[in-house]
Amino acid sequence: MPIAVRHLEKLNPVAWWEQFGNNCPDLHTFAIRVLSQCTSATGCERNWSAFEFIHSKKRNRLEHKRLNDLIFVRYNLKLRE
């Protein structure tokens, strides 16, 4: 809605959401999912653990892109498990 866009800068986020957020059920559901996520360093620690596993003394000369690709594959395999 054009009025919602105009008021985006004028209202604080809570007031904007109370006034215009109920008109968008998909956005409402998405916002609840995003804001319900817990924040922690676990994902970061998991990533460093995978990095340490792949970047060993034998593989310390891997190119940056290849190392990132291996981390990506390993992380996604763990997620699938």
Side-chain angles (χ1 to χ4, degrees):
M1 295 174 26
I3 192 167
V5 174
R6 281 195 306 268
H7 282 88
L8 190 62
E9 297 291 326
K10 297 175 184 173
L11 295 174
N12 69 27
V14 174
W16 186 91
W17 186 258
E18 287 174 349
Q19 195 167 8
F20 302 107
N22 291 332
N23 296 333
C24 304
D26 292 336
L27 183 60
H28 182 76
T29 303
F30 180 72
I32 289 173
R33 284 186 180 175
V34 168
L35 296 174
S36 297
Q37 295 293 317
C38 296
T39 57
S40 72
T42 305
C44 184
E45 292 292 330
R46 189 178 306 122
N47 191 29
W48 279 109
S49 175
F51 181 80
E52 287 174 353
F53 176 77
I54 290 175
H55 194 264
S56 63
K57 287 185 179 183
K58 288 182 180 180
R59 297 181 178 179
N60 68 349
R61 293 180 184 237
L62 284 175
E63 292 179 9
H64 186 70
K65 180 170 178 4
R66 174 112 171 120
L67 182 61
N68 283 340
D69 290 344
L70 287 171
I71 295 291
F72 179 80
V73 169
R74 179 168 170 78
Y75 186 75
N76 285 323
L77 284 173
K78 288 290 185 184
L79 281 176
R80 236 171 86 184
E81 289 177 2

